[in-house]
Amino acid sequence: MIFRNGLKCLPWLLLALAVLPASAQTVFPLLVQVRVGDNVQTVPNGANIAVAAEAVGRPLSILLNARNRGNTQVTIATGPDLLGASDFSLLSAPTAATVLNPGETTSIEIAYRPRTSRLVSAQLSFVISEPAADGRPVFNVFSLNITGTAPEIVLAYTLPSNGNVLSLANGGAVLFPDTTVGTNSVATLILFNRGSAPGTVQSLSLTGADFELLGAPLLPGSIDSQREVRFGVRYTPKQNGPSRGSLTLVLDSETITVSLEAAATGPQLVFDAVLEEQTLTADDGGVINLPETNVGRTRTFQLRVRNTGTADTTVTSISLTGAGYQLSDLPPLPQSLARDGSLVFTVSLTPAAPGAARGRLRVNNATIEFLAQAAGPRLAYSYALGEITVELQPSGAVLFSATPIGQSRQASFTVSNTGTSAASIASIALTDLSAGFELTDLPALPLRLEPNASISFGLRYSPDTAALTTTNLRVDTVSFSVSGNGAPAVPLPGYRFEGASATVEPLSQPAVSLQLESTYPVALSGSIVLTLEPLSGLSPDGSVVFATGGRTVTFTIPAGSTQARFANGETSLRLQSGTVAGDIVLTPSFATRGGFNLTPSSPTIARLRVPLAAPRLLTVNAAEAAGSILFTVTGYATGRSLRNAIVELAARPGFQLAATRLTVPVSDPAVAWFRSPSSQTVGGQFVLALPLSFRTDVPGVNALDGIQSITISVDSESGASNTVTVQR
């Protein structure tokens, strides 16, 4: 037998073991496997194994399975003994004289329940026997050395003020020093594994608005034996008074929760808005809701700043932001503010638009907000082009896409009152009416626009130039830019001249008019240029001009119209036909109001012909003197030539004339006249001065008394003229 203390054994057992063959000493008949949790390993006789519990006091099961791997019976001669630390104990084991046939298995279960986190050890042993060849038993001893470990993670903290390390048990507290508002204090937390096995930290969590973790480890994570992990907890108070939080540490074996306890000291600012009817108070970070205020009206109130903290302070800065808010009566800065002391200044609000009027007041690092509802009208603007609607701010832009000249695009402009009271609109107008834009469907103005109501009107773009044009739309004092880009024009429709026929009389004033065959959507302007094409060899007639003067005249054609309009709105125009044979050519040109040329490359013209004809006499005057008459004859020759003047005389009864027909050559003086510069301005017109002298053989009788009438005519290569007669 073997004593429990493991110090003695029988001499015959030692002798038997001493005479074992070498092969028997090296091949152990049992195959032993050790299972710890999910880990299984095969161990030889005399092996060392290490096991680790989750924590102190947490039991761990160690299961040994021993199988007879030989081909003879194996007898467990003695029950297993477990010697060493009391942390190990046998839970189950085979009894002495247990026989294992080949392939059979027996089990031994050991419990490891660590009482401390220190390293401990134990030895399991038992004696087996198997028959030798001569039938005598052969004995052998199986032993297994077991080392047990366990983690033990403890929590502690230290403060920079003293460097002392203070342990923390579950339910303990981290005590921060008193901390001034606006500053911070940091405690260093220590996780130390004083056990003999690695320990696992599953999670770490923190509560408390004024606390935050610094340098926290990535979890879950392991801490080796005799190692530590450090992290920080920072306390940053926002206002005076105590602060509380908690820190929770989840380990494999337990959950440790400690409280965080701190207190803030220093000045604390409180704000009072002193209104006529009440006083509204807010702490740092709070909101003061002001009464409703009308747009354009000013609400003024006193703002009192009180120090309710535990220390004096100095006010070094006061600022106020927010549309419509303003400070006045500020004290000189810096200003000391003792405990329970206060300072006062004035705040005013003049909202410019309805809706929420927000302001932010900052005194040193403390802030509050003001919130007031502003009552009044508020106009919102938008325009729609097709299915697209664009919201506009004042000074925004209305944009039309490229539009061909001769076409139009229509936008709908909407004004909505999103405020809380009625608005009035007195005027809606464009500043430049020549840019191709016009307003349509305007409502009657002035008008009253109630809350949540809207009005709409049209904005039409009809470009008259292939360029970017811009105007401004004004709704009362609010202005918007309106822009559009003209594209190449829609072709000009056909047109025609009406009035005078192709042939016109000399010295006449024929009337002409200009007519489009169909309307054009934008206003047109243009001109008609008069040119002369006299017959070959003839000089142009300088007297051929429009009745308005000159050889160029302008006209307009209103949008949607077909009739050209000349000066004073006349729809027809007269011209002087002159007295020179040839053509009077009228050539029109067309352009949009913006200057885009629409004239066809081969424009239709009007051609008025003054025909080549015999000279024509217009007037005759006679001036008599003793025995002579000076005839002054006016007329014109469209061919600018004369050959003869023919004079026919008629006698009074009782008188006889020596000759009744005279032919006077006038070709030379006519050529001289028509070639002179003076004649160029009068065309084919001429004045013929023809002096005639008469005598008689009858004494005492005036030679002219026998003449009753004188008829004059002229001729040229084109024929004989009409006659003019002077009666006496």
Side-chain angles (χ1 to χ4, degrees), residues 4 77 124 139 144 201 207 241-242 258 277 293 323 359 408 518 584 597 610 672 680 682:
R4 289 292 181 180
L124 173 72
F139 293 92
L144 178 66
V201 180
T207 65
V258 296
E277 60 277 11
T293 304
S408 297
S518 61
I584 301 171
N597 185 19
V610 177
Q680 303 306 310
V682 294

Side-chain angles (χ1 to χ4, degrees), residues 498-592:
E498 295 181 342
S501 59
T503 301
V504 296
E505 291 295 324
L507 280 184
S508 64
Q509 288 190 337
V512 294
S513 62
L514 182 62
Q515 183 88 23
L516 296 179
E517 293 181 355
S518 61
T519 60
Y520 199 72
V522 299
L524 301 177
S525 62
S527 64
I528 300 176
V529 177
L530 184 153
T531 58
L532 299 177
E533 297 178 2
L535 292 182
S536 179
L538 300 182
S539 299
D541 188 346
S543 67
V544 179
V545 294
F546 288 111
T548 55
R551 291 183 177 175
T552 300
V553 67
T554 59
F555 64 85
T556 60
I557 302 177
S561 176
T562 60
Q563 185 69 55
R565 297 185 180 276
F566 302 98
N568 300 320
E570 296 292 333
T571 58
S572 63
L573 177 69
R574 293 188 176 275
L575 55 88
Q576 304 286 349
S577 64
T579 54
V580 175
D583 290 344
I584 301 171
V585 180
L586 303 180
T587 304
S589 63
F590 301 86
T592 64

Side-chain angles (χ1 to χ4, degrees), residues 122-206:
Q123 184 184 63
L124 173 72
S125 64
F126 57 87
V127 178
I128 65 171
S129 68
E130 57 181 330
D134 58 1
R136 291 184 304 168
V138 177
F139 293 92
N140 208 339
V141 178
F142 174 81
S143 65
L144 178 66
N145 299 310
I146 307 172
T147 301
T149 61
E152 185 179 5
I153 297 176
V154 294
L155 182 62
Y157 77 98
T158 180
L159 298 173
S161 58
N162 52 33
N164 294 332
V165 178
L166 305 175
S167 63
L168 283 170
N170 188 19
V174 178
L175 304 178
F176 287 83
D178 288 349
T179 304
T180 304
V181 173
T183 65
N184 62 73
S185 297
V186 176
T188 299
L189 275 293
I190 305 169
L191 292 174
F192 176 63
N193 184 1
R194 64 185 181 187
S196 55
T200 301
V201 180
Q202 296 293 341
S203 65
L204 180 65
S205 59
L206 183 75

